[in-house]
Amino acid sequence: MSVDTVSLTGWGRTAPTTALRFRPRTYEEAAATVRGCGPRGSIARGLGGSHGDAAQNAGGSVLDMTALDRIRTVDATAGLVVCDAGVGLHRLAEVLRPLGWSVPTPSPNRYVTVGGAIGADAHGHDQHHSGSFSRHVQELELLTADGEIHTVRPGTVLFHATAGGLGLTGVILSATLRCHRATGSWLSVDTERAVDLDDLLDRLSAGDHRYRYSAARIDLLSRGRATGRAVLTRGEPVPVDGRAPRYARPARARRTPSAFRPGRLPSLSALVPHSLPGGVCAALLGELRYRGAPGYRPGELQRPAEFFRLLDGPVRDRPRGRAGSVRYQFAVGFGQEEALRRIVRRISLRRCPSSYAVLKRFGASDPGWLSFPVPGWTLALDLPAALPGLARFLDSLDEEVAAAGGRVCLAKDSRLRPELLAAMYPKLDRFRSLRAELDPYGAFRSDLSRRLSL
């Protein structure tokens, strides 16, 4: 097992802290590290895709789980896979695809492990259809503070605390996952423009049930009657032996000069001079993205990788600035649309230069006590950490979200105030109580857990 002292951050590169990093190669080495972790405790870490400080532990130890990356068994008939927690979702997808299966909750982000997806109860653009990642976990092996390994199954309190529990109940060592049947190599994609936020919410409410994947790139710098305008992109897998509609042809097969071929176009950020001020750059990107999208284009065939790239952009290319970026994601329930409108208007009026802003509709939530998705609406955006007054502004948004019965996503958070946590997560006391019972001496700690008194 390798050991070194490192400075670690989340994906947004804010608030770096130093910790002793252990890289166990066996379950026994992981257990030995937990038993000898010292007064500052330890926390598991995967590929570093968490935006905030959930996988940092200042002055303590961090378990780098990426050496525990074995895919143990694949049942190609039942679609079950048993793998170590350090396996990346991208690698797992590459193994499953030739066997006719796909990973639950597919993501364009290469920097997510199976353990990280469970600990964050990760959600994707299919949450309204398929739920979050933990819904597809049949069982997991959990290393607890006493050095013992437990088999944990859905329906138990330990599972509810661990799914979305940010690694604070123990170290996830392995998991058995129920995979999705792969339906083909193409998606039939409908793209349309919404002229404002109300138009966007109406379109999502009326049609999301017909699609596996759905998300809207929203322009948060538009104001007035155009506030909340967006490009809505939704996709449905084309069955292997099914026939797509006649108008559904791959973009590369089109021959007209006006053909929209995103797979061949440079990224929009490459078209905008980097010398422009951040707000001007973000406004220009938003204008290009909106004006460059079709008013309505149904049934275009796209490869899944192309589809997710259009929704999210290349993760490695997202600008984070010298001071890093803050990912802010919140959710409010159905019936709280007016709160969502107020927040979008406030962001728009403040001219926040967000290079990434996506609004989605959530379906049924999963049982994790700290799981983020709730039936309703979620908005995620990236903001430069150096933006003047950002902390005070986001604090005020937190208060609006909490007053509306909503919540902030903890797996992506780096700055939430602890006094708002109980209002956002009603089962917080149950989580804390179980934590105190399982881990009375604080073997599992993180920068996030100390900041929020988890």
Side-chain angles (χ1 to χ4, degrees):
M1 175 170 59
S2 62
V3 184
D4 57 352
T5 300
V6 293
S7 178
L8 297 172
T9 70
W11 185 253
R13 295 201 299 234
T14 56
T17 54
T18 301
L20 198 61
R21 179 175 59 186
F22 294 82
R23 196 164 187 257
R25 297 185 179 276
T26 66
Y27 294 174
E28 291 75 20
E29 289 182 351
T33 301
V34 169
R35 285 193 292 264
C37 63
R40 294 289 287 182
S42 64
I43 195 70
R45 182 181 177 94
L47 292 167
S50 174
H51 286 76
D53 53 5
Q56 296 171 225
N57 186 23
S61 60
V62 168
L63 276 71
D64 182 338
M65 301 296 290
T66 56
L68 289 168
D69 62 350
R70 291 161 293 184
I71 299 176
R72 296 176 176 270
T73 63
V74 178
D75 185 336
T77 302
L80 294 176
V81 58
V82 181
C83 62
D84 287 345
V87 174
L89 295 188
H90 186 78
R91 175 173 164 240
L92 186 60
E94 290 177 335
V95 171
L96 292 173
R97 187 73 191 184
L99 301 176
W101 297 94
S102 64
V103 298
T105 315
S107 168
N109 192 343
R110 290 172 174 262
Y111 306 102
V112 179
T113 60
V114 168
I118 297 171
D121 199 13
H123 60 273
H125 298 310
D126 62 344
Q127 196 283 334
H128 66 287
H129 180 276
S130 304
S132 301
F133 195 87
S134 65
R135 187 180 299 187
H136 310 279
V137 178
Q138 185 164 290
E139 67 177 34
L140 59 87
E141 289 185 297
L142 185 72
L143 171 64
T144 51
D146 56 8
E148 299 296 319
I149 297 175
H150 304 265
T151 299
V152 183
R153 295 186 176 88
T156 64
V157 294
L158 189 50
F159 187 90
H160 294 166
T162 301
L166 305 167
L168 297 173
T169 60
V171 179
I172 299 169
L173 297 174
S174 70
T176 302
L177 307 176
R178 292 186 299 272
C179 303
H180 293 161
R181 178 72 71 178
T183 53
S185 300
W186 297 95
L187 298 175
S188 178
V189 177
D190 292 353
T191 304
E192 53 194 301
R193 290 192 303 206
V195 297
D196 58 22
L197 183 60
D198 286 341
D199 184 28
L200 175 60
L201 298 184
D202 288 343
R203 290 170 188 263
L204 286 167
S205 297
D208 251 21
H209 63 281
R210 300 196 300 268
Y211 300 87
R212 173 76 61 86
Y213 307 109
S214 173
R217 293 295 298 264
I218 185 169
D219 181 3
L220 291 176
L221 292 178
S222 57
R223 292 188 288 184
R225 289 183 297 178
T227 299
R229 69 180 182 179
V231 178
L232 175 57
T233 308
R234 296 183 283 194
E236 183 65 20
V238 176
V240 176
D241 297 322
R243 290 187 177 183
R246 283 182 297 176
Y247 51 75
R249 294 177 292 146
R252 65 186 181 187
R254 300 175 187 263
R255 292 292 182 266
T256 61
S258 60
F260 183 78
R261 290 180 282 212
R264 293 185 176 183
L265 290 174
S267 64
L268 287 178
S269 57
L271 301 175
V272 178
H274 295 292
S275 59
L276 291 175
V280 175
C281 179
L284 184 54
L285 281 171
E287 188 70 22
L288 286 172
R289 184 177 292 115
Y290 185 78
R291 297 294 179 187
Y296 178 63
R297 183 185 60 226
E300 181 185 25
L301 286 184
Q302 291 180 10
R303 296 284 189 184
E306 178 187 12
F307 174 78
F308 289 119
R309 183 183 182 277
L310 284 172
L311 290 181
D312 290 293
V315 174
R316 66 181 181 277
D317 293 338
R318 288 181 193 161
R320 287 174 279 182
R322 291 183 179 179
S325 66
V326 173
R327 167 62 63 89
Y328 186 68
Q329 182 168 12
F330 69 90
V332 294
F334 294 126
Q336 294 296 330
E337 287 78 13
E338 187 53 41
L340 176 62
R341 293 186 188 98
R342 283 198 305 271
I343 293 172
V344 169
R345 282 197 297 267
R346 290 188 60 191
I347 296 171
S348 173
L349 289 171
R350 198 179 188 277
R351 309 298 285 167
C352 293
S354 176
S355 60
Y356 170 86
V358 170
L359 188 138
K360 295 185 291 191
R361 183 178 181 274
F362 275 159
S365 57
D366 290 294
W369 291 343
L370 297 185
S371 292
F372 169 64
V374 291
W377 311 100
T378 180
L379 175 63
L381 56 151
D382 282 344
L383 296 167
L387 196 66
L390 179 63
R392 291 191 302 275
F393 179 65
L394 293 183
D395 284 347
S396 68
L397 294 189
D398 291 341
E399 292 171 1
E400 286 220 40
V401 169
R407 57 186 54 174
V408 167
C409 182
L410 298 181
K412 299 172 182 177
D413 175 60
S414 60
R415 26 75 42 209
L416 179 68
R417 291 177 296 163
E419 58 267 26
L420 292 176
L421 193 60
M424 294 182 174
Y425 289 89
K427 296 180 181 177
L428 177 64
D429 285 345
R430 297 180 68 181
F431 179 81
R432 284 173 170 161
S433 177
L434 183 64
R435 272 256 296 152
E437 178 184 337
L438 286 174
D439 187 10
Y441 302 108
F444 299 112
R445 301 183 189 181
S446 65
D447 291 352
L448 179 142
S449 74
R450 277 186 286 270
R451 177 168 56 82
L452 296 178
S453 301
L454 286 173

